[in-house]
Amino acid sequence: MKLTFIRADHEVTGSCTLLEIGGHYGLVDCGMEQGRDQFENIDIPVPAAQIEFVLVTHAHMDHTGHLPLLYKQGFRGTVYATEATCDLCGIMLRDSAHIQEFEAEWKNRKAKRAGAEPVEPMYTVQDAEAAMKLFVGVDYDKRIELAPGIEVRFVDVGHLLGSASIELWITEGDTTTKLVF
């Protein structure tokens, strides 16, 4: 088992942790950094297509905002979240994509007048809608198997509607390790 902290290891915003477990790759959160970019973050060190699952703690953009980008980059795994988080992400990710498109359009109008190269939005509404199709709602306190030797449970924490602490049980050989996010 290996954990790689992609973002939010020096600050609160942009939560994303890569899990490497017995040849399986998953993420806990895939957030967008918000506010001033004070710390250098690393890219996810594996291709998005190799990531099998994303576990989402809650719907805030700093925990989910890069999911449409991950989809755009080739992720086709499963996004596990509580039902309420799935519902809120449906609203928030589409809205974020609309903002991405609007800002790119505005920058491109200015760039055209200045003779500069056009910019692309980070992701589109289509990317957000496609990413939402990968979501699977899970019940609180129900233990589910993600892959052999990897189980997860979402526990209510009351931060906001649908938010959860994520408990993982990882069995490698004769040893089971419990991680909590």
Side-chain angles (χ1 to χ4, degrees):
M1 170 181 36
K2 180 179 175 186
L3 300 177
T4 305
F5 298 98
I6 308 299
R7 290 183 288 277
D9 56 341
H10 292 90
E11 59 191 336
V12 173
T13 185
S15 179
C16 185
T17 303
L18 176 67
L19 307 168
E20 298 177 54
I21 306 163
H24 298 280
Y25 292 98
L27 296 175
V28 175
D29 291 335
C30 191
M32 178 184 290
E33 188 174 10
Q34 297 177 300
R36 192 181 330 200
D37 189 6
Q38 295 179 322
F39 299 98
E40 178 130 0
N41 294 306
I42 64 171
D43 291 330
I44 297 172
V46 297
Q50 284 188 259
I51 298 169
E52 297 173 45
F53 60 86
V54 178
L55 308 174
V56 176
T57 58
H58 63 287
H60 282 155
M61 291 301 292
D62 64 326
H63 290 258
T64 63
H66 273 173
L67 287 169
L69 178 61
L70 191 68
Y71 176 87
K72 184 177 180 178
Q73 294 170 339
F75 171 69
R76 298 298 183 271
T78 304
V79 180
Y80 295 94
T82 65
E83 293 288 348
T85 295
C86 292
D87 291 343
L88 290 172
C89 283
I91 297 164
M92 294 176 71
L93 295 177
R94 285 178 182 92
D95 184 56
S96 175
H98 175 73
I99 291 167
Q100 299 291 330
E101 289 177 341
F102 179 80
E103 286 182 353
E105 182 183 315
W106 179 78
K107 288 175 184 175
N108 285 334
R109 281 196 307 268
K110 290 183 77 171
K112 187 175 182 179
R113 288 185 294 234
E117 292 293 316
V119 298
E120 291 285 322
M122 183 184 308
Y123 52 81
T124 65
V125 171
Q126 284 180 325
D127 295 323
E129 289 173 349
M132 287 308 305
K133 291 178 181 173
L134 303 176
F135 275 68
V136 171
V138 297
D139 295 328
Y140 283 123
D141 300 318
K142 183 178 178 186
R143 206 159 149 165
I144 58 172
E145 184 178 61
L146 301 176
I150 308 170
E151 293 184 6
V152 64
R153 178 171 61 191
F154 290 74
V155 179
D156 189 359
V157 293
H159 176 57
L160 93 138
L161 186 65
S163 62
S165 178
I166 293 175
E167 299 176 324
L168 281 162
W169 289 268
I170 299 159
T171 303
E172 297 173 298
D174 294 335
T175 305
T176 298
T177 304
K178 182 179 180 182
L179 296 175
V180 179
F181 290 83

